[in-house]
Amino acid sequence: MTSQTSSTPLAGRVAVVTGASSGIGEATAEHLASLGAKVAVLARREDRLAELVSRIEKNGGTALAIAADVTDVQAVRAAADRVKNDLGGADLLFNNAGVMLPAPIEELAADQWQRQIDLNVTGLMNVIGAFVPQLVQAAAERGVGDLINTSSIAAQNIFPNFAVYSATKAYVTHLSRHLRTELGPKKVRVSAIEPGIVGTELQSHVTDTGALEWLAGSKETIEWLTPEDIAHTVGFLASQPARVNLQQVTIMPTGEAT
């Protein structure tokens, strides 16, 4: 194992990042690599992953690209096998793939409801199911493992027209708290990160006119968080002494009230 220093506190660790082709996932993969971790990056867009791996390697890091859709359970299990074979198994999982598609419930946008549930809930569970055995094994061998799930401030607060998205994120936060009670005794820390509004591709998937207007107005009045802000938070969580588990971290733009 590579020895840790203050500049590379994650040396010797193996991180998996889902939703890594853009935004928070992309920024976090680069940051974890800069802290010394070997990083496996998962997303559907193979070309974006190749560019990301190239940048990480150019900066002296080690990265592995795996093109996979987290809603495909067999693809995720195959990805876990590859991480085990190529990198020795994960001890840090940043479970970040997700989608936000707000709309008034009376629009009955059932396809969008299902897409959010499939990705934000079922996809999350597919990844947990595939990688938790590696986290538990790594924690037993090395003394620490990390499962960090991307939730949202919407898990706590009320936003009209965001009901389904918010409900999926409430699932993520509540699940994380339960998993912590199961995995904590096995030295796997579980954390949920609940960001306020972050400037990512997430907003570009929104089709509802009212939500788009609200987002545009928000951007005029508030300086949004950046993906790098979240990346540094993930790095901070994973760099704490093994005895320290921040179970739930809410990170807000200074100007965002709720």
Side-chain angles (χ1 to χ4, degrees):
M1 181 180 289
T2 307
S3 62
Q4 296 177 342
T5 69
S6 58
S7 61
T8 57
L10 301 184
R13 299 194 63 181
V14 176
V16 172
V17 178
T18 68
S21 60
S22 66
I24 291 171
E26 181 180 29
T28 300
E30 290 195 77
H31 184 59
L32 296 179
S34 77
L35 296 179
K38 297 177 181 177
V39 182
V41 290
L42 274 67
R44 291 175 299 170
R45 291 178 290 183
E46 200 163 358
D47 57 332
R48 294 293 299 268
L49 293 180
E51 292 171 9
L52 173 59
V53 167
S54 178
R55 285 201 307 277
I56 289 173
E57 291 178 342
K58 186 177 180 181
N59 290 321
T62 300
L64 173 68
I66 304 176
D69 184 337
V70 297
T71 65
D72 180 343
V73 66
Q74 296 304 327
V76 175
R77 288 175 183 169
D81 289 342
R82 190 161 169 215
V83 171
K84 182 78 169 174
N85 293 333
D86 291 12
L87 299 177
D91 59 35
L92 196 173
L93 171 61
F94 182 43
N95 209 359
N96 171 70
V99 67
M100 180 180 73
L101 301 168
I105 207 70
E106 289 175 289
E107 284 188 9
L108 306 180
D111 57 334
Q112 294 192 348
W113 302 345
Q114 194 61 53
R115 188 176 168 206
Q116 291 174 99
I117 293 166
D118 287 347
L119 190 52
N120 299 356
V121 176
T122 305
L124 178 98
M125 294 310 302
N126 288 343
V127 175
I128 287 172
F131 284 100
V132 157
Q134 293 184 22
L135 299 181
V136 171
Q137 182 180 347
E141 294 172 354
R142 305 172 214 168
V144 68
D146 283 288
L147 168 58
I148 302 172
N149 296 318
T150 300
S151 183
S152 167
I153 190 60
Q156 307 290 338
N157 295 344
I158 308 302
F159 300 96
N161 306 329
F162 284 74
V164 176
Y165 173 75
S166 297
T168 66
K169 291 304 183 179
Y171 176 96
V172 175
T173 290
H174 206 49
L175 175 84
S176 300
R177 296 182 73 173
H178 281 273
L179 291 184
R180 184 178 169 277
T181 66
E182 292 186 40
L183 299 177
K186 298 183 178 182
K187 300 183 179 180
V188 177
R189 304 182 288 199
V190 182
S191 304
I193 296 185
E194 298 180 336
I197 196 157
V198 185
T200 71
E201 276 190 7
L202 208 61
Q203 294 84 29
S204 69
H205 301 148
V206 176
T207 58
D208 180 70
T209 304
L212 287 168
E213 290 174 354
W214 178 81
L215 288 165
S218 166
K219 200 166 189 178
E220 291 286 318
T221 57
I222 297 170
E223 184 179 1
W224 290 359
L225 297 172
T226 68
E228 289 74 21
D229 296 328
I230 311 306
H232 282 262
T233 303
V234 175
F236 175 78
L237 295 179
S239 299
Q240 294 304 300
R243 65 181 179 275
V244 178
N245 182 186
L246 280 73
Q247 70 166 13
Q248 199 167 316
V249 178
T250 301
I251 174 170
M252 299 287 287
T254 301
E256 183 178 2
T258 59

